[in-house]
Amino acid sequence: MNDSALQVQGLRKVYANGKTALDGVDLQVSKGAFHALLGPNGAGKSTLINILADIVRPTSGLAKMFGRDVFHERAWCKRHLGVVPQEVAFDPFFSPVEVLRITSGLFGRKPDDAWINELLDRLGLAEHAHKNTRQLSGGMRRRLLVAQALVHRPSLVVLDEPTAGVDVELRRSLWAFMRELNRSGTTILLTTHYLEEAEQLCDHVTIIDGGRVVADQSMRELMEVVAGRYLYLGYGDDFELSEADARALSAFRPRVMSGGICLRLGGQGSEGHGFHQVYEAAVSRLGIPRKVEIRQEDLEDVFIRLTGRARHERSRA
Ligand SMILES: Nc1ncnc2c1ncn2[C@@H]1O[C@H](COP(=O)(O)OP(=O)(O)O)[C@@H](O)[C@H]1O
Ligand SMILES: [Mg+2]
């Protein structure tokens, strides 16, 4: 399709140690989109991004950027792509300004000092512009990576957890900046651990797990259709769900949560479970709760439900 900024088809990566990191991933990012790529640790997000950035070689599959073959038209694609990698590595002898001027040169551009200064300013690096990068904190280096990815004004920007380890205030200014970039026409693919970040910024979400796509929808659809309502019944901190009760309530996909239980309320149609049906079924097994709430799932709940994992769970210690 010619309205896509990025099209990935059947992408597979098996690392030398035999680990399958991507197991046939399809992904389409529309031109102008602010697209979230989410998934638990080890899902394969960085592998996908590193393949686009030419850091990792794919085992098989296709990728096109604005209709151009990523693997055969590398030079063209590199000029139009900005990648913020997850790992931070800089030559410690250069200052941020130098890093940005050198990076411009790598893209065959004359350094645009006005743009470089704007980037440094917007990313809160202006006062550190002439320090050695080794004097910068982790958060500052991460912001310098963002500046570096944007210095050649790419049409597609891919960010691999750009806000990890960045404090709340700066995270917000980074959000504002990314939003502005997107509004001015830049397509953004964002990987993040902060689901509320994706929920606030992105208009489309792809969730991957174990190297496969488990959800791919517009944010609105995901929130309206996939995200459901559920009933929370609070029983107190020592609440435990026995296996027999879990089995009896399995139609409502019970989840133990903060001293109680969450049960899914069905949406519309014949599969729907109304409040009374769910409530009575729960009370007949668990007794009368101290607290009753109807909640709307947010992106984090959807993520946990689809991947069976909590967002901060680490697969690597
Ligand atoms: N260089 C590598 N060699 C072998 N396995 C790797 C390598 N890089 C990543 N992996 C494995 O591939 C899987 C996907 O990793 P990664 O793409 O980093 O996931 P994510 O970014 O979603 O956390 C993980 O199981 C990880 O351990
Ligand atoms: Mg990663």
Side-chain angles (χ1 to χ4, degrees), residues 34-65:
F34 205 137
H35 192 123
L37 177 64
L38 306 177
N41 261 289
K45 305 177 299 292
S46 293
T47 299
L48 193 154
I49 289 170
N50 290 339
I51 287 173
L52 297 175
D54 202 15
I55 297 167
V56 167
R57 191 183 287 269
T59 304
S60 58
L62 302 172
K64 281 185 175 181
M65 251 184 68

Side-chain angles (χ1 to χ4, degrees), residues 186-241:
T186 307
T187 305
I188 301 185
L189 177 63
L190 172 73
T191 286
T192 177
H193 252 80
Y194 302 101
L195 299 187
E196 62 273 30
E197 179 168 303
E199 203 173 333
Q200 287 196 23
L201 293 172
C202 299
D203 42 47
H204 199 101
V205 200
T206 302
I207 301 180
I208 63 172
D209 191 20
R212 289 167 190 233
V213 174
V214 296
D216 180 61
Q217 269 173 311
S218 75
M219 182 66 82
R220 235 189 65 216
E221 265 177 344
L222 192 78
M223 298 313 293
E224 281 177 6
V225 182
V226 178
R229 288 188 312 152
Y230 59 86
L231 183 64
Y232 169 80
L233 304 176
Y235 287 96
D237 286 338
D238 51 358
F239 175 77
E240 276 177 34
L241 186 66

Side-chain angles (χ1 to χ4, degrees), residues 138-199:
M140 289 178 201
R141 287 183 198 187
R142 198 163 284 286
R143 272 134 56 203
L144 180 55
L145 275 181
V146 175
Q148 204 179 11
L150 297 176
V151 78
H152 58 302
R153 297 179 183 269
S155 328
L156 171 63
V157 176
V158 179
L159 303 109
D160 197 351
E161 308 212 14
T163 49
V166 173
D167 68 48
V168 179
E169 200 181 321
L170 269 160
R171 199 182 303 156
R172 290 192 185 283
S173 70
L174 205 53
W175 290 1
F177 186 45
M178 288 193 283
R179 220 181 239 134
E180 235 175 83
L181 265 180
N182 179 246
R183 287 202 180 127
S184 65
T186 307
T187 305
I188 301 185
L189 177 63
L190 172 73
T191 286
T192 177
H193 252 80
Y194 302 101
L195 299 187
E196 62 273 30
E197 179 168 303
E199 203 173 333

Side-chain angles (χ1 to χ4, degrees), residues 98-111 151-152:
E98 287 165 332
V99 166
L100 296 178
R101 300 188 109 235
I102 291 165
T103 308
S104 305
L106 293 180
F107 289 103
R109 282 184 167 244
K110 234 178 73 191
V151 78
H152 58 302

